[in-house]
Amino acid sequence: MNKTTKFADLILPLPLAQLFTYSIPEELKADVAIGKRVVVPFGRTKFYTGIVKNIHNNPPEDYATKEIISCLDESPLITSLQLCFWDWISQYYQCTLGDVFKAALPSGLKLESQSKISANENFQTKISLTKTEEQILNVLQHSKDVNISTLNQATGLKNTLPQVKSLLEKGAISIQEQIVSSYKEKTKEWVRLSSDFSESEMSLFINQLKRAKKQQEMLLSYLNLSKHYFEENANKVSVDELLQSVGSAKGILKSLAEKNILEIYSEKIDRIDLSQTETSGLKELNKYQQEAISEIKTSFEEKNCVLLHGVTSSGKTEIYIHLIHEQLQEGKQVLYLLPEIALTTQIINRLKSVFGNKVGIYHSKFNDAERVEIYNNIHQNNSKNAYQIILGVRSSVFLPFNNLGLIIVDEEHENTYKQFDPAPRYHARDASLYLANLHGAKTLLGTATPAIETYYNAKSGKYGLVELFHRHQDIEMPEIIIADVKEARRKKRMKSIFSPELIQMIEICLENKEQIILFQNRRGYSPYLECKSCGWVPHCPNCSVSLTYHRYNNQLVCHYCAHSIHPPTVCEQCGSTEIEDRGFGTEKIEEELMSFFPDAKIGRMDLDTTRKKMAYEKLIYKFENRELDILVGTQMVSKGLDFDNVSLVGVLNADSMLNYPDYRAYERSFQMMAQVSGRAGRNKKRGKVLIQTYTPDHPIIKNVIENDYYSMYSEQLAERKEYIYPPYFRLINICLKHKNQTVVNQAASVLAKSLRKVFGIRIFGPQSPVISRIQNFHIVNILLKIEKKSSPSKAKWILNQHANHLKSMDQFKSILINFDVDPM
Ligand code: ADP
Ligand code: ZN
Ligand code: ZN
């Protein structure tokens, strides 16, 4: 860098719009460069890691600059492509570069005064440390809850950050975030012989077990499965496998263990990290898939983005795998995006079995150290162990790719691709298109149920469109049967929450040893309690929602702020003691199933049962392994799972989705029902789907029955046009929050009035959202709808001006205002 350059503009992890100019001291002039991290003081006591955005010679006019303390990187950590990407995110989604910085880097790479640090217990002291590093490590080993500020005090050093960084790299310490275990820990129980018995000893055992036929049978089966006396290397036999082979209970195995013949041991299995490098090769594509892939390639010659609209189980994933393979051969990187809940071990294993260690996973359940590792791995792309494929969630768009060839956005219609809170409120699918353009790469969007906007873009020629209407092996789409709940109630034929049709179909499936998935878009036991005599419903004191009843811990819980109380026994309004639960969630379905089908093995998959480490993986594994007959769940069960023995899917209450007050409710209901139906009959036999509803003639239900995406799309599109919504108009939501309801209402009406002077009838509101108070903040929204062809950047600039003006008024300075561009 130029020796005369004196100043650097930095991005700091703060929600402030501007860049911050610092001066570069003489001794750092050779080091500081664009994209590197530097440490700077901020205010009196704080300091931050900042990213160098520009370097120049112009002193700021209105403040005296402070000096950069140190430079953390030898080469830029943030590439110039990434900085362009950050700029785009911040401009398009109307947030600060600081917000983007915070979202883009794992904590371990953005140390700040408040980052919590701790010593690693199993650090190898063989690695050499400097004196100061040792001093710091010593402090950390003897105290808890240390952050960099307290560390500075404890060591008497002015700034320990460079040492902290170096200790991090040496693996001596870590930065804490919520440490959620990664996939790695999974144990499995195995069986082996208690010692190395000779063949004659073994025959003796077998003989002795003459009277314990079941034990004898099990032992023989073990010998058979393990091939112990037949082959050099005996096969490993799992407990499950052995029990299944003879159809007996674990008690029998325990008896054999007590006799010291067999032994049960457990071993960690690493289902994700298949350390073997041998890979299973590509599957040959069927003729429809071959056609689709060649259409995709032709389409890519003209278009940067192609939508692959393929029915569930048509083998979209196989097509992706072939495309990835081609990219790798050209030495390109691939980003494969999945929504959070669809990133399961199933898909990970499928990719790993083809691409082995070239696949890196980026998941929000990974702890920070792992995320830093992946970040660094991609950053040092030239090394031999570099990942070439990243399978990841939303935030993986921020990884430092340098050579992307293809981005795949699977289940592109999923709304979890959009970050809701905090800023940047970006949509990973839409951001992917920009990211791909920066790299000269292509984007493939895939789904069975495209978002209306996406399909519109494909139909209007902005994207390519490739459609795949055949399931692999031409398995028929499931048969969809409707149960009219209203009619059944009238005739008093409902069995609790189940229609007679559903009960009967479950019975048949259980008899045939086929599996069942039941879907209800609500967790908990019942959505609310209600006083039978006056209709009083217990509400959350902090939010404007009713409390959901959870039976397992007998609590009423707020799903927005987690506030929880014991259910009241007396009505607060009229004193009646008759308080009943209303509606039903997954927990109640599970309980009711147990009473109707006491012999069935039932599992439940929702937010409440999957909080613990590995719980989600365990449930999937058990279901795959047929240790469960019925899986009850929320939308978690609808995403991308591939079970081959599911012949029935039940949707317990279609109406709750259809009646949701949102312009996307019909689109979402269709997507949800079509996706969950897609879990049925994925192998050989045609599956069945039963939908319970009060409105069997609803047009969306009809579309689902006929598997008619196109009609749903056309009808929705007409409505969108009539009511001025996307894809015809662009929406920007302006959200105002304050603890005082009067203040927020006043502020919103002042702002709406001033915006109306500019935008006229394009301004809607102010209006309260369905849930108008969360954690004691009152919320009011103003919605701007602008024509697709008008300049969004100009509109955004005007919005900012008006919001800043509002906040400059004394009575409104504590109002929180945020923008949500393309809200979901
Ligand atoms: P989608 O992603 O469209 O839902 P998948 O790729 O999961 O479909 O395919 C459904 C099932 O069919 C999977 O179990 C997959 O392994 C299998 N399958 C799809 N295409 C092929 C193929 N060409 N050869 C062998 N198996 C295939
Ligand atoms: Zn009452
Ligand atoms: Zn609440």
Side-chain angles (χ1 to χ4, degrees):
M1 139 183 160
N2 188 336
K3 284 270 181 193
T4 62
T5 313
K6 295 198 184 79
F7 301 101
D9 295 338
L10 306 183
I11 306 169
L12 295 184
L14 299 168
L16 296 171
Q18 74 271 36
L19 295 174
F20 297 82
T21 306
Y22 283 79
S23 50
I24 309 172
E26 205 50 47
E27 69 274 17
L28 290 180
K29 284 201 168 158
D31 294 340
V32 173
I34 292 174
K36 286 189 184 179
R37 291 173 301 162
V38 292
V39 178
V40 292
F42 191 84
R44 277 239 215 106
T45 52
K46 290 206 184 99
F47 55 86
Y48 286 110
T49 306
I51 306 288
V52 181
K53 180 84 192 318
N54 309 303
I55 35 189
H56 56 82
N57 283 319
N58 316 315
E61 282 169 11
D62 43 356
Y63 58 96
T65 53
K66 291 186 181 174
E67 279 195 348
I68 291 175
I69 299 173
S70 65
C71 177
L72 295 179
D73 298 313
E74 273 166 29
S75 65
L77 185 77
I78 314 297
T79 65
S80 55
L81 282 183
Q82 280 178 290
L83 286 174
C84 289
F85 185 60
W86 289 18
D87 274 333
W88 181 82
I89 294 266
S90 113
Q91 278 158 22
Y92 188 85
Y93 291 105
Q94 277 193 282
C95 63
T96 70
L97 278 170
D99 288 329
V100 184
F101 173 23
K102 284 216 270 199
L105 290 188
S107 307
L109 294 176
K110 45 171 201 236
L111 302 169
E112 45 188 272
S113 15
Q114 300 312 317
S115 310
K116 286 237 157 48
I117 319 163
S118 61
N120 283 344
E121 277 170 27
N122 41 17
F123 172 61
Q124 310 252 319
T125 41
K126 273 177 262 159
I127 299 169
S128 74
L129 301 179
T130 66
K131 265 240 160 69
T132 352
E133 285 170 3
E134 262 173 32
Q135 189 190 352
I136 290 172
L137 191 60
N138 194 26
V139 173
L140 291 172
Q141 279 162 343
H142 295 97
S143 32
K144 277 207 171 108
D145 260 358
V146 181
N147 63 38
I148 298 185
S149 298
T150 51
L151 196 61
N152 290 349
Q153 284 166 12
T155 55
L157 292 164
K158 186 163 155 231
N159 173 34
T160 50
L161 211 124
Q163 286 84 6
V164 165
K165 181 202 161 225
S166 153
L167 285 167
L168 261 176
E169 282 163 4
K170 290 175 180 170
I173 61 172
S174 43
I175 302 285
Q176 273 156 349
E177 273 202 323
Q178 72 293 18
I179 304 289
V180 191
S181 145
S182 69
Y183 291 103
K184 280 171 196 145
E185 295 159 40
K186 174 161 184 76
T187 59
K188 186 166 173 166
E189 286 194 309
W190 304 89
V191 191
R192 63 186 167 208
L193 294 181
S194 306
S195 68
D196 207 0
F197 303 116
S198 68
E199 278 186 56
S200 51
E201 280 172 313
M202 187 47 68
S203 341
L204 204 65
F205 287 140
I206 294 172
N207 232 336
Q208 282 166 356
L209 290 172
K210 256 194 328 243
R211 296 231 170 71
K213 273 279 177 260
K214 287 225 158 133
Q215 292 178 37
Q216 190 189 47
E217 191 190 355
M218 188 173 284
L219 182 56
L220 287 169
S221 179
Y222 171 79
L223 295 174
N224 192 20
L225 288 169
S226 69
K227 308 224 170 7
H228 190 85
Y229 296 99
F230 307 109
E231 273 166 28
E232 195 86 339
N233 296 314
N235 292 332
K236 267 174 93 158
V237 178
S238 74
V239 168
D240 293 339
E241 190 186 355
L242 180 61
L243 297 185
Q244 244 172 28
S245 71
V246 286
S248 353
K250 205 168 172 184
I252 312 281
L253 177 58
K254 284 200 175 131
S255 316
L256 285 168
E258 274 158 28
K259 290 182 182 140
N260 274 324
I261 304 174
L262 289 180
E263 179 179 81
I264 303 173
Y265 65 105
S266 55
E267 204 170 75
K268 272 191 188 161
I269 54 163
D270 211 353
R271 294 208 298 135
I272 304 295
D273 190 352
L274 306 175
S275 40
Q276 86 270 21
T277 41
E278 79 195 47
T279 48
S280 69
L282 297 173
K283 290 191 174 122
E284 200 181 320
L285 295 180
N286 66 40
K287 66 171 195 270
Y288 308 113
Q289 292 166 338
Q290 278 171 17
E291 272 168 38
I293 205 167
S294 74
E295 284 176 42
I296 292 172
K297 286 186 204 161
T298 318
S299 200
F300 273 148
E301 285 169 15
E302 280 175 32
K303 314 251 153 120
N304 288 329
C305 176
V306 171
L307 167 66
L308 171 60
H309 174 214
V311 295
T312 51
S313 211
S314 54
K316 295 183 288 298
T317 317
E318 295 305 327
I319 293 179
Y320 304 152
I321 290 174
H322 279 254
L323 290 169
I324 294 170
H325 180 74
E326 288 176 12
Q327 291 295 325
L328 297 198
Q329 299 219 304
E330 290 177 28
K332 297 277 190 179
Q333 296 167 319
V334 177
L335 170 60
Y336 186 147
L337 286 172
L338 274 165
E340 188 82 31
I341 36 178
L343 182 49
T344 61
T345 44
Q346 284 195 332
I347 182 76
I348 293 170
N349 287 344
R350 259 172 97 174
L351 284 193
K352 286 239 174 179
S353 78
V354 183
F355 301 112
N357 300 331
K358 295 201 183 80
V359 189
I361 320 284
Y362 202 69
H363 195 285
S364 69
K365 277 194 180 166
F366 280 8
N367 66 38
D368 197 65
E370 286 167 299
R371 270 183 277 178
V372 171
E373 218 177 284
I374 295 194
Y375 192 98
N376 288 336
N377 176 298
I378 298 173
H379 190 243
Q380 298 140 13
N381 177 254
N382 46 13
S383 84
K384 235 175 147 188
N385 299 322
Y387 297 126
Q388 277 182 280
I389 308 155
I390 288 294
L391 182 60
V393 296
R394 185 170 71 211
S395 56
S396 16
V397 294
F398 291 113
L399 289 170
F401 301 103
N402 55 18
N403 187 20
L404 270 178
L406 176 68
I407 303 181
I408 295 166
V409 186
D410 196 12
E411 313 286 3
E412 65 81 27
H413 65 281
E414 268 292 319
N415 56 359
T416 52
Y417 276 128
K418 170 86 186 198
Q419 170 142 320
F420 178 63
D421 220 17
R425 297 179 174 79
Y426 65 105
H427 196 300
R429 174 195 62 207
D430 302 343
S432 285
L433 294 177
Y434 185 79
L435 181 63
N437 280 347
L438 283 176
H439 286 263
K442 302 288 178 185
T443 308
L444 180 65
L445 311 178
T447 175
T449 53
I452 301 280
E453 289 92 326
T454 304
Y455 204 68
Y456 177 80
N457 283 333
K459 279 283 178 192
S460 61
K462 188 172 170 196
Y463 303 162
L465 175 62
V466 174
E467 306 201 274
L468 187 55
F469 296 114
H470 295 265
R471 285 185 141 190
H472 180 58
Q473 291 179 328
D474 277 315
I475 297 163
E476 280 181 278
M477 292 301 287
E479 177 190 1
I480 305 207
I481 301 149
I482 303 297
D484 184 341
V485 178
K486 202 168 172 186
E487 182 73 6
R489 284 226 187 284
R490 197 173 57 80
K491 294 187 176 150
K492 301 211 174 340
R493 292 180 61 219
M494 284 296 279
K495 300 201 160 112
S496 165
I497 55 183
F498 306 113
S499 58
E501 293 93 330
L502 184 56
I503 293 276
Q504 196 193 5
M505 284 165 71
I506 294 177
E507 274 166 2
I508 295 171
C509 272
L510 291 174
E511 267 168 36
N512 294 342
K513 302 245 176 286
E514 290 161 351
Q515 289 167 295
I516 300 152
I517 290 179
L518 296 182
F519 168 78
Q520 164 71 338
N521 209 11
R522 258 207 153 113
R523 67 191 165 97
Y525 189 83
S526 57
Y528 60 101
L529 298 185
E530 191 180 69
C531 167
K532 217 175 158 185
S533 49
C534 79
W536 173 75
V537 174
H539 275 71
C540 175
N542 312 319
C543 313
S544 59
V545 284
S546 55
L547 296 166
T548 302
Y549 180 50
H550 288 250
R551 178 95 140 214
Y552 72 100
N553 56 1
N554 194 31
Q555 290 281 308
L556 279 173
V557 180
C558 171
H559 285 183
Y560 286 82
C561 74
H563 175 84
S564 85
I565 53 166
H566 258 297
T569 45
V570 213
C571 170
E572 277 181 19
Q573 200 161 275
C574 74
S576 157
T577 51
E578 283 192 287
I579 298 179
E580 291 188 330
D581 59 78
R582 289 275 184 257
F584 57 90
T586 43
E587 200 187 327
K588 182 162 180 172
I589 299 173
E590 184 189 23
E591 191 182 286
E592 297 285 300
L593 277 175
M594 288 189 218
S595 71
F596 282 100
F597 303 102
D599 297 328
K601 283 169 276 157
I602 301 161
R604 169 159 63 94
M605 183 186 278
D606 55 30
L607 204 59
D608 300 308
T609 62
T610 55
R611 279 184 227 274
K612 287 212 192 100
K613 277 185 200 169
M614 298 299 299
Y616 181 73
E617 275 65 32
K618 272 185 198 152
L619 268 170
I620 290 185
Y621 185 67
K622 270 180 139 174
F623 196 62
E624 259 177 356
N625 241 6
R626 310 197 185 175
E627 289 165 44
L628 296 172
D629 302 310
I630 309 178
L631 186 62
V632 181
T634 54
Q635 72 265 31
M636 279 186 188
V637 298
S638 71
K639 308 298 172 210
L641 294 172
D642 187 24
F643 300 115
D644 58 8
N645 188 41
V646 173
S647 64
L648 173 64
V649 166
V651 175
L652 275 282
N653 181 355
D655 308 287
S656 66
M657 295 182 270
L658 288 166
N659 296 332
Y660 194 77
D662 182 280
Y663 76 94
R664 285 196 162 89
Y666 285 8
E667 177 192 356
R668 294 239 171 94
S669 305
F670 179 88
Q671 286 163 342
M672 196 78 95
M673 285 188 264
Q675 291 287 346
V676 72
S677 304
R679 303 311 114 206
R682 289 175 74 89
N683 195 13
K684 297 183 198 96
K685 205 177 126 181
R686 187 178 188 196
K688 286 190 171 147
V689 176
L690 184 116
I691 298 177
Q692 298 194 153
T693 175
Y694 279 87
T695 51
D697 296 324
H698 197 290
I700 291 293
I701 302 261
K702 290 246 145 73
N703 297 151
V704 173
I705 296 175
E706 284 154 20
N707 184 32
D708 188 355
Y709 173 82
Y710 193 75
S711 295
M712 185 283 293
Y713 165 76
S714 321
E715 282 151 29
Q716 288 306 301
L717 204 59
E719 291 206 355
R720 300 285 182 89
K721 192 163 197 175
E722 187 174 345
Y723 299 103
I724 46 175
Y725 278 108
Y728 299 103
F729 286 77
R730 187 188 304 278
L731 309 187
I732 300 177
N733 188 48
I734 304 126
C735 173
L736 294 90
K737 292 186 198 167
H738 198 273
K739 292 213 168 167
N740 182 319
Q741 191 169 11
T742 321
V743 175
V744 75
N745 284 339
Q746 278 169 356
S749 76
V750 170
L751 183 59
K753 205 167 150 197
S754 78
L755 288 174
R756 275 208 174 89
K757 287 197 185 125
V758 185
F759 294 106
I761 55 162
R762 295 176 190 83
I763 293 290
F764 293 78
Q767 63 212 357
S768 301
V770 182
I771 292 150
S772 62
R773 189 168 53 112
I774 296 179
Q775 292 185 312
N776 288 319
F777 276 91
H778 293 270
I779 305 165
V780 181
N781 289 325
I782 299 171
L783 188 63
L784 170 64
K785 294 184 179 179
I786 43 171
E787 291 83 349
K788 254 293 160 63
K789 47 185 185 301
S790 70
S791 156
S793 43
K794 192 163 169 215
K796 288 171 195 169
W797 186 82
I798 297 169
L799 289 179
N800 269 332
Q801 296 295 315
H802 284 247
N804 289 340
H805 180 67
L806 183 82
K807 290 193 54 135
S808 70
M809 298 181 209
D810 257 358
Q811 70 270 40
F812 298 137
K813 60 172 188 279
S814 55
I815 291 265
L816 302 175
I817 303 181
N818 65 55
F819 300 101
D820 191 353
V821 179
D822 306 335
M824 296 289 280

